[in-house]
Amino acid sequence: MSDRPGRGHSGTPRRIPEATVARLPLYYRALVDIAEHRISTVSSERLAELAGVNAAKVRKDLSYLGSYGTRGVGYDVEFLLHQISRELGLTRDWPVAIVGVGNLGQALANYKGFGARGFRIAALVDADDDKVGREVDGLAIEPIRALPEIVAERQISIGMIATPAHVAQEVADLLVAAGVRSILNFAPAVVAVPDGVSMRKVDLAIELQILSFYQLRKGGPARRRDRAATGAMDVEEGLEQGLDGLHQGMAG
Amino acid sequence: MSDRPGRGHSGTPRRIPEATVARLPLYYRALVDIAEHRISTVSSERLAELAGVNAAKVRKDLSYLGSYGTRGVGYDVEFLLHQISRELGLTRDWPVAIVGVGNLGQALANYKGFGARGFRIAALVDADDDKVGREVDGLAIEPIRALPEIVAERQISIGMIATPAHVAQEVADLLVAAGVRSILNFAPAVVAVPDGVSMRKVDLAIELQILSFYQLRKGGPARRRDRAATGAMDVEEGLEQGLDGLHQGMAG
DNA sequence: CCCTCCTTGTGCACTCGCTCACAAGCGCGC
DNA sequence: GCGCGCTTGTGAGCGAGTGCACAAGGAGGG
């Protein structure tokens, strides 16, 4: 791993395309799996398979980070894992605040998949005074008027909006005013943020509508279901053993 | 996504680009808002503003559906609403099955935003026999081995995977084998489906990692927070009234 | 009936991302 | 030491999506 050819400066080596950034977490996840199997080297082809993308894309994506592979051999799993972690900021602690502790907010607070990657729920905030003081997963719900102090004192960098749609913009404004620069919006509403603030949105209803669009073009929901010609029997034969596996594994 | 949008030549007037399909739900939502205000006509510019996109894009997107506008006037709100509803299949009933009734599955089952658009939770399925029989939001949890009958009898067309990652592929196979052709995957795992089955995924951890990537490039989480030069005071002045509004509106 | 105003619909140029194909380069065996 | 096989890294071509700018064309007033 000799130093990168070209500018070996502490800043960004190259500009990483947005599409690549969105795939880095997939590679990260695949690499964690591989590392757990005590495998020390992985090819772009194998990594592509595990991440559900194509091999050329993997190579090009990884080349944006630097020349971390060895021709004829592949990528060192641990080293690549470290590089991607560093690039994504997964070596740090990222305190997160959840605004709106309804169904979704509670589910997010209880979700165990975050902490492992360094995303730690550091605050639960709600405007409903009846909810304030209640605990969810060991964390007390706090009033939204305390947001500025909470954000400042706990160094909160990411805010999640899990409120009804009609207050999403107000909540976003409050988060921005408090100093939050990254927002993940779960409310089904268009939310604008000023320059310098990142916003991503997750909208379940939209995903369903996209699915229903394509399902319509397949013959609609009422049409008689004919087996897909390819692979139907394979899947069906795997059904029994699938059930066995599920009973052990699926904890919800 | 796995299925190519262009393949079915069953009477589609034009092929609608995938990017446009993904925006139709935004227009739909904006139009519903407009219709509630008793406004009968809307321009592409106004619609763009409400949907959070650019006006030329709105016009091009809508032109794929047909020439539904009137030059010099705009679009008829009710008519356009009807056309988009029809295109997205929102005039129909779409029974949905949720597999995996943990935190996320329960939150999805309780979420009220679906039914209004025709997406009705018709089944809750889990592999854990201790959960079977319990009710969530008035719907009993059923054993996963009953999935084939459930899907067939209730005409279920969409399946949501809300299980742990390591069983997501098995659950997807079971859904496909049972006849489901549209899947929304919430499990943080790569899931492959055969041709003819649509799959979309929602991964909260990935969204957070993307946010943290960009936040790192802004100066990182530990840096002292300096107010954004532009607009900071405006936002802050709006803070008090924002709180007032929130107390009335935010029900969580 | 015509003219003007307004907004739609779209041709065009540009950017971004994807895929292919292949040269470059590393390790290993002979 | 040398070639051989394997895998990376990347240049080039291509297709999708975006935004501009403008022609096309209703509506309404004079």
Side-chain angles (χ1 to χ4, degrees), chain B residues 113-126:
Chain B
F114 295 150
R117 262 72 163 169
F119 300 97
R120 182 173 51 81
I121 309 296
L124 300 176
V125 169
D126 204 295

Side-chain angles (χ1 to χ4, degrees), chain A residues 130-146:
Chain A
D130 292 344
K131 289 183 184 167
V132 170
R134 263 184 35 208
E135 282 197 2
V136 176
D137 200 34
L139 194 61
I141 299 175
E142 298 169 85
I144 191 159
R145 81 188 76 89

Side-chain angles (χ1 to χ4, degrees), chain B residues 49-142:
Chain B
E49 187 186 339
L50 291 171
V53 301
N54 130 335
K57 212 183 294 190
V58 169
R59 291 198 296 274
K60 187 157 284 189
D61 283 344
L62 295 182
S63 77
Y64 289 118
L65 307 185
S67 286
Y68 293 152
T70 305
R71 292 167 195 244
V73 177
Y75 300 89
D76 183 277
V77 174
E78 288 296 339
F79 182 72
L80 189 55
L81 204 43
H82 176 71
Q83 294 302 327
I84 294 183
S85 297
R86 199 176 44 80
E87 205 75 46
L88 287 175
L90 304 186
T91 56
R92 305 199 181 194
D93 184 56
W94 294 97
V96 175
I98 297 176
V99 181
V101 195
N103 281 319
L104 184 56
Q106 281 187 50
L108 292 172
N110 281 311
Y111 186 52
K112 304 302 175 201
F114 295 150
R117 262 72 163 169
F119 300 97
R120 182 173 51 81
I121 309 296
L124 300 176
V125 169
D126 204 295
D128 181 356
D129 283 330
D130 292 344
K131 289 183 184 167
V132 170
R134 264 183 34 207
E135 282 197 1
V136 176
D137 201 34
L139 193 61
I141 299 174
E142 298 168 86

Side-chain angles (χ1 to χ4, degrees), chain A:
Chain A
M1 74 186 101
S2 58
D3 219 352
R4 294 262 352 287
R7 69 210 96 168
H9 225 275
S10 65
T12 26
R14 326 182 187 190
R15 219 197 94 265
I16 300 182
E18 212 168 322
T20 295
V21 173
R23 277 188 297 268
L24 289 182
L26 295 178
Y27 304 145
Y28 178 82
R29 203 165 62 193
L31 286 166
V32 169
D33 284 352
I34 295 170
E36 281 171 0
H37 284 85
R38 300 273 187 284
I39 296 169
S40 62
T41 286
V42 66
S43 70
S44 63
E45 192 151 359
R46 177 77 181 125
L47 188 50
E49 187 186 338
L50 291 171
V53 301
N54 126 339
K57 214 183 293 189
V58 170
R59 290 198 295 276
K60 185 154 282 189
D61 284 343
L62 295 183
S63 77
Y64 289 118
L65 307 186
S67 286
Y68 292 155
T70 305
R71 292 166 195 241
V73 176
Y75 300 89
D76 183 278
V77 174
E78 288 297 338
F79 181 71
L80 189 54
L81 203 44
H82 176 71
Q83 293 302 326
I84 294 182
S85 297
R86 197 175 46 81
E87 205 75 44
L88 287 174
L90 304 186
T91 56
R92 306 199 180 194
D93 185 56
W94 294 97
V96 175
I98 298 176
V99 182
V101 193
N103 283 319
L104 185 57
Q106 280 187 52
L108 292 173
N110 282 309
Y111 185 54
K112 303 303 177 200
F114 295 150
R117 261 73 163 170
F119 300 98
R120 182 174 51 83
I121 309 296
L124 300 176
V125 169
D126 203 295
D128 181 357
D129 283 331
D130 292 344
K131 289 183 184 167
V132 170
R134 263 184 35 208
E135 282 197 2
V136 176
D137 200 34
L139 194 61
I141 299 175
E142 298 169 85
I144 191 159
R145 81 188 76 89
L147 198 60
E149 295 79 39
I150 292 172
V151 169
E153 287 166 11
R154 297 174 210 171
Q155 298 278 324
I156 285 176
S157 40
I158 300 178
M160 293 193 195
I161 302 178
T163 65
H166 64 279
V167 292
Q169 181 66 61
E170 294 174 46
V171 167
D173 293 344
L174 292 174
L175 283 168
V176 171
V180 171
R181 303 245 284 252
S182 296
I183 294 178
L184 187 51
N185 176 32
F186 290 87
V190 173
V191 169
V193 292
D195 277 359
V197 177
S198 307
M199 229 263 310
R200 296 188 64 85
K201 55 177 184 289
V202 173
D203 192 316
L204 314 182
I206 285 182
E207 296 299 327
L208 285 175
Q209 291 175 40
I210 294 172
L211 282 175
S212 89
F213 174 90
Y214 287 113
Q215 174 102 21
L216 261 190
R217 313 263 152 149
K218 288 182 207 160
R223 194 175 105 178
R224 180 154 61 258
R225 234 172 296 275
D226 37 3
R227 298 275 181 219
T230 313
M233 292 312 287
D234 299 331
V235 174
E236 219 141 354
E237 280 168 26
L239 198 138
E240 286 303 321
Q241 78 186 53
L243 284 174
D244 291 346
L246 281 174
H247 278 290
Q248 298 161 8
M250 194 195 299

